[in-house]
Amino acid sequence: MVRERLYSGFLVYDLKQTPEDFQVEEIIDPTWLTKTGRWTIFRLRKKGWNTIDALLRIARESKLQLSQIGYAGKKDRHAETLQFISCELPLQVPKELSSVLKLETVGRCERPLSPEANFGNRFRLTLRNLQEKEFPLLEENIGTVSRIGFVNYYDSQRFSRFHPEFRLPILQYFRKEYELCLRLFLTETFAGEKKQARDRKKKLQAEWGNWPLCEKLSGTKLEAGIFSALKRERNISPETFAKRMESFPEEELLMALSSFQSLLWNEFVSGLLFQEAESGVFIKTKTGPLFFPPDSLLSAVGLDRNIQVPGYPGIKNLEYSKNEMSMLDSVLSSWDLDSNCMDRSPFPKIRMHAFDRRLRVVPDDFETGKLEEDELNPGRKKMLLSFRLPAGTYATMLVKRLLLRAKPEHKKTQSDFGLISTP
């Protein structure tokens, strides 16, 4: 018997109307800070820039390669963030960006900063455009989240390359559709990209296969190198396109593989929870539906644990129950993949490691302010939230649970769930 999926919308709210509405402060392991060491640790304050783009500009200004700068975590562009980076050599911020990128020396370390140094993040968020009449349900949700937490899903920021038809471009590589994978990497546009770049990529899509013309349309050295190599090939095979994928920076390929693992985790966990629950609701997200279980299930002892995100050394070596293995196989099968795809990384220099991730997260130091008049939305209210989360946990997913309109504890008819929307 197929169970009906009940979907919930959200209470009315806005987040990130200004960068100051979403403030993040990174926390690093204090044992990494030393008085001596080859690497200098800098505190980077940024506004309106994602981490990688900011580091690329800093590296260029400092006449260095991006690989020479270490960092503990990546931070969103639509935020005001404070994080730590490291380098053996001095770093400089371009003068024209001094108002949005600021560097401060804070200490030394014995090795470059990496995600291992990341203890988590402190968040200070402003929810805007709230309706006062909906505050009782918001208060109830705040009590629930502060007490039992929320499911530790990855949120949409993790999936910047998501495609409505092909899902993640890297999926095509796992399916051995190498040319499609390369075409998506080179020609698909993404949010925030300038019109000139979007128009050029549309031309590349139209002229795909005409390698001399594609080379002329290239906007980067990477593109020009790939199309030049394809132009010289006499006998192009699927493996030709696979080889060209290795031209992308390791950082970009690693992010693509991480997105693959994250999407797999989301669908795997959502499926497990839906299978176990007698009630609960789904929300619609960019990558597909995610299940929010009833509070009684979420607070169960069995969910207060880590579960492995699938990866190397392969699914057969992971500590999964028979039911978990069956669910993972089911998700991979729906993507036209089998479990062997996780036995090794598709790229020789990059490993797609399995790692532990909390199934449920309870925020630390969770505090809320009072409802106040929202100066950006007349007649509406705003409220301040502050809390601390482990590294890799998405504050926006916590907000989604806070603003959930339906109570997942109760079985309801479809008409009880109101409008379905994903802010």
Side-chain angles (χ1 to χ4, degrees):
M1 178 175 144
V2 177
R3 288 171 55 193
E4 182 185 14
R5 286 187 173 188
L6 299 178
Y7 285 86
S8 174
F10 300 91
L11 303 178
V12 177
Y13 79 99
D14 278 321
L15 184 63
K16 301 182 180 180
Q17 283 197 312
T18 72
E20 293 80 10
D21 287 348
F22 200 96
Q23 299 180 30
V24 189
E25 181 182 353
E26 188 174 77
I27 307 166
I28 62 169
D29 184 345
T31 62
W32 282 63
L33 284 165
T34 63
K35 293 182 179 179
T36 60
R38 289 170 52 190
W39 285 267
T40 300
I41 297 181
F42 302 87
R43 182 185 286 114
L44 170 64
R45 186 184 297 275
K46 63 181 184 63
K47 182 191 300 186
W49 284 72
N50 68 48
T51 297
I52 297 302
D53 286 344
L55 294 187
L56 282 169
R57 291 299 302 272
I58 291 171
R60 189 187 312 162
E61 184 71 14
S62 307
K63 296 180 172 54
L64 300 171
Q65 299 295 317
L66 176 62
S67 59
Q68 293 176 268
I69 302 176
Y71 55 92
K74 296 174 183 175
K75 301 292 180 282
D76 193 13
R77 176 169 65 93
H78 302 288
E80 185 176 276
T81 68
L82 200 63
Q83 68 181 107
F84 297 91
I85 63 176
S86 65
C87 191
E88 287 187 272
L89 298 170
L91 295 178
Q92 301 292 330
V93 171
K95 289 183 179 180
E96 67 272 19
L97 299 178
S98 60
S99 63
V100 291
L101 300 178
K102 299 181 185 297
L103 280 178
E104 175 190 1
T105 302
V106 295
R108 311 284 293 182
C109 56
E110 299 293 339
R111 51 182 171 145
L113 287 180
S114 70
E116 295 177 12
N118 195 336
F119 257 23
N121 298 284
R122 292 187 183 91
F123 293 89
R124 186 179 174 88
L125 313 182
T126 301
L127 295 180
R128 294 186 179 274
N129 202 28
L130 300 172
Q131 297 189 57
E132 191 168 5
K133 66 180 182 180
E134 295 184 329
F135 190 59
L137 180 53
L138 176 57
E139 277 192 313
E140 185 177 337
N141 288 346
I142 287 171
T144 298
V145 170
S146 63
R147 187 177 74 257
I148 65 173
F150 60 102
V151 183
N152 194 18
Y153 290 124
Y154 292 93
D155 211 348
S156 57
Q157 305 94 301
R158 188 74 164 186
F159 310 110
S160 59
R161 282 189 174 273
F162 189 81
H163 190 282
E165 179 182 357
F166 302 109
R167 298 174 70 79
L168 297 177
I170 198 67
L171 269 176
Q172 320 316 312
Y173 197 99
F174 281 97
R175 293 173 180 147
K176 302 187 185 306
E177 297 179 11
Y178 303 125
E179 181 178 0
L180 177 56
C181 179
L182 183 65
R183 179 167 67 82
L184 290 171
F185 263 75
L186 288 174
T187 67
E188 283 303 309
T189 59
F190 53 85
E193 198 167 24
K194 294 181 179 179
K195 183 180 184 302
Q196 183 179 359
R198 298 170 73 89
D199 291 344
R200 183 177 59 78
K201 287 185 176 181
K202 287 180 181 178
K203 291 179 182 177
L204 284 175
Q205 287 177 344
E207 300 297 338
W208 186 263
N210 184 342
W211 308 129
L213 181 54
C214 285
E215 184 182 13
K216 290 181 180 179
L217 291 171
S218 297
T220 66
K221 290 182 180 180
L222 172 66
E223 292 175 2
I226 289 174
F227 291 127
S228 175
L230 290 172
K231 182 180 67 174
R232 295 193 303 270
E233 287 283 347
R234 293 185 178 180
N235 298 304
I236 293 182
S237 68
E239 287 66 32
T240 304
F241 297 103
K243 186 66 177 177
R244 298 279 69 81
M245 283 298 302
E246 295 177 21
S247 304
F248 285 87
E250 290 185 19
E251 177 72 26
E252 189 169 352
L253 295 177
L254 183 59
M255 276 300 299
L257 294 177
S258 296
S259 294
F260 171 82
Q261 288 180 281
S262 302
L263 186 62
L264 183 56
W265 159 271
N266 274 6
E267 297 203 7
F268 168 58
V269 168
S270 184
L272 284 177
L273 294 175
F274 182 59
Q275 188 179 66
E276 292 184 32
E278 294 184 359
S279 60
V281 297
F282 283 86
I283 63 168
K284 288 189 173 182
T285 74
K286 179 170 72 173
T287 59
L290 291 177
F291 183 67
F292 281 59
D295 300 341
S296 55
L297 175 60
L298 188 60
S299 60
V301 175
L303 291 193
D304 191 23
R305 63 188 175 100
N306 290 341
I307 191 168
Q308 289 178 297
V309 177
Y312 180 83
I315 290 174
K316 295 175 183 177
N317 296 300
L318 300 180
E319 298 174 359
Y320 284 173
S321 68
K322 185 177 180 181
N323 183 51
E324 290 166 349
M325 188 68 73
S326 175
M327 181 58 67
L328 193 59
D329 283 340
S330 176
V331 174
L332 288 170
S333 178
S334 72
W335 296 354
D336 297 323
L337 298 175
D338 59 47
S339 59
N340 294 330
C341 73
M342 308 294 288
D343 289 348
R344 61 185 180 86
S345 171
F347 304 111
K349 295 182 180 180
I350 302 171
R351 281 202 170 174
M352 189 171 51
H353 289 285
F355 58 94
D356 287 345
R357 183 173 175 84
R358 297 288 293 178
L359 199 56
R360 171 171 68 97
V361 172
V362 180
D364 291 322
D365 303 328
F366 191 95
E367 295 181 358
T368 61
K370 296 179 180 180
L371 276 185
E372 300 178 9
E373 293 298 322
D374 185 352
E375 73 282 4
L376 299 184
N377 302 281
R380 297 295 179 91
K381 303 291 183 179
K382 69 177 182 179
M383 185 175 67
L384 182 68
L385 305 175
S386 62
F387 49 87
R388 184 161 49 90
L389 295 175
T393 299
Y394 285 74
T396 49
M397 193 56 69
L398 178 152
V399 170
K400 284 182 170 65
R401 177 59 189 91
L402 282 184
L403 279 297
L404 197 66
R405 184 176 294 280
K407 296 181 182 180
E409 194 70 35
H410 305 297
K411 294 181 180 178
K412 294 187 176 183
T413 64
Q414 186 74 33
S415 61
D416 290 329
F417 284 74
L419 295 174
I420 300 169
S421 60
T422 303

